[in-house]
Each structure stands twice: as structure tokens, then as C-alpha cells.
Amino acid sequence: MKKLDLHGLTLEEAFDEFTDFIYEAYKNNFSKVEIVTGKSGQIRKEFPYWSENNHQIRSIEVSWHGGSFIVKLQKKY
């Protein structure tokens, strides 16, 4: 599974990386990806809002260890 780690980035940098990563994953027809946010912090708090406003994302769920999200992408037609 393709993974993006947002540790060490500013909120703005993390949002830009997330947006580009999701676009590329969708374009390449990935069904799901993992986004590492850490277990706390501003990026983790903002991540669900970023996801709900992205039309390429079908759903998100917290990973078993709690430090990342599994993102399921829409199918590309």
C-alpha cells in the first residue's frame, strides 16, 4: 500500500503534500493508501476535514495503531 508520512511538516505543507498525494493515487487508480499523521497534533486534527472536502476520497478509517489513516479512494472511470 502506498504511504505518505506528514511528520515534521507545517500544516500548510502537509495539506499540499496530502492533496498532491491523493491526486496521484487517484490518477494511478489506487484503491487505498495510508496517510501517517501521528497520534496527536494539528495535522491529525485537521485531516478529517481535508478528507471530507476531497471528492477523490470515498472514506477514511483510523489504522489499528492509531497513528495513521487508511484512505479509500473513489474508483476512476
Side-chain angles (χ1 to χ4, degrees):
M1 180 178 349
K2 194 168 173 114
K3 184 189 290 191
L4 173 66
D5 189 342
L6 300 175
H7 281 106
L9 300 178
T10 66
L11 198 56
E12 186 176 336
E13 290 169 339
F15 178 74
D16 290 344
E17 288 290 322
F18 161 76
T19 303
D20 292 346
F21 181 79
I22 292 298
Y23 173 75
E24 286 298 318
Y26 174 78
K27 188 172 87 172
N28 290 306
N29 218 23
F30 282 85
S31 61
K32 64 183 175 178
V33 294
E34 183 176 5
I35 310 287
V36 179
T37 61
K39 294 182 179 179
S40 63
Q42 195 61 36
I43 292 172
R44 176 152 182 96
K45 289 178 189 172
E46 294 292 326
F47 185 81
Y49 301 112
W50 299 348
S51 298
E52 71 184 31
N53 291 314
N54 188 307
H55 72 278
Q56 295 159 334
I57 294 176
R58 185 168 36 112
S59 66
I60 64 169
E61 60 187 57
V62 177
S63 67
W64 63 271
H65 57 74
S68 65
F69 290 89
I70 304 302
V71 177
K72 294 181 181 175
L73 300 171
Q74 299 286 0
K75 289 195 178 224
K76 186 176 148 189
Y77 296 99

